[in-house]
Amino acid sequence: MIPTGNPLRIIFFSSLCLLLTGCGGQTSDQPELGTVSGSVTLDGEPLTGAMLVFSPETGRSSMAITDEAGQYDLLYVGDSKGAKLGTHKISITTAQPDSSEEAGGEAAASFKENIPAKYNTDSTLMEKVQAGDNQIDFELKSN
C-alpha cells in the first residue's frame, strides 16, 4: 500500500521503484551484499513508518521503511535484500507534511520531522555491513 498525499513518501516510493527495477534489469554486476535487518526506536518506543537509507562510500544505496513494530529489512535492487559490504552513512527520517501551515487553503510546502537532524539531514550514524546476516538496531533519543 502506497501512502497518498505525502510528497516525501511519494518521492521515496518512486525512488524505491527505480531502485528495485534497476537500469537494465540485470544484477550480474551486483556487488557482494550482506543482509541487513533490525529495529528502530525513539525514546524506547518503536518508530513506525520511518525511512532508512544506508549509503555506502561508493555505489548504490539501500532503503527500507519500518513496520508498526519498528522493524525493517533493507532492499538493494530488484528482489535483492541487503546492502553493499562496507561502511555506510545512515539516514532515518519520519518527515511528514506540516498541516499546521496553510496557504490559501493548500498545505504549505514544509515538512515536520519528528526526530533530531543528527539522525537524518545532519546524520552522524555510521554502520559497517559485513557478509552474511547483519542485525543493526537504532535506539534514537529525541533530546
Side-chain angles (χ1 to χ4, degrees):
M1 180 167 138
I2 298 176
T4 59
N6 180 335
L8 187 58
R9 298 268 176 171
I10 292 169
I11 292 169
F12 172 76
F13 279 106
S14 297
S15 299
L16 186 59
C17 287
L18 291 173
L19 175 76
L20 295 177
T21 58
C23 295
Q26 298 178 356
T27 57
S28 60
D29 60 348
Q30 180 172 297
E32 188 176 354
L33 304 176
T35 60
V36 182
S37 60
S39 65
V40 182
T41 59
L42 178 63
D43 299 326
E45 297 295 322
L47 193 57
T48 302
M51 289 186 287
L52 288 88
V53 178
F54 277 55
S55 300
E57 293 171 357
T58 61
R60 187 182 303 243
S61 296
S62 296
M63 300 179 195
I65 295 182
T66 58
D67 64 16
E68 62 280 347
Q71 301 292 312
Y72 74 92
D73 291 299
L74 283 183
L75 292 175
Y76 181 71
V77 66
D79 59 357
S80 298
K81 292 185 176 184
K84 184 177 174 182
L85 302 184
T87 302
H88 291 253
K89 182 175 184 178
I90 294 91
S91 174
I92 304 173
T93 184
T94 60
Q96 299 288 323
D98 187 352
S99 60
S100 65
E101 296 179 30
E102 301 265 334
E106 296 181 22
S110 64
F111 292 89
K112 180 181 178 189
E113 177 60 71
N114 296 322
I115 59 176
K118 67 182 178 180
Y119 302 124
N120 44 70
T121 56
D122 298 324
S123 182
T124 58
L125 299 173
M126 301 290 286
E127 292 289 340
K128 185 171 184 176
V129 175
Q130 299 179 350
D133 295 332
N134 295 265
Q135 174 76 28
I136 302 176
D137 298 324
F138 297 96
E139 297 177 2
L140 312 181
K141 303 289 182 197
S142 60
N143 53 13

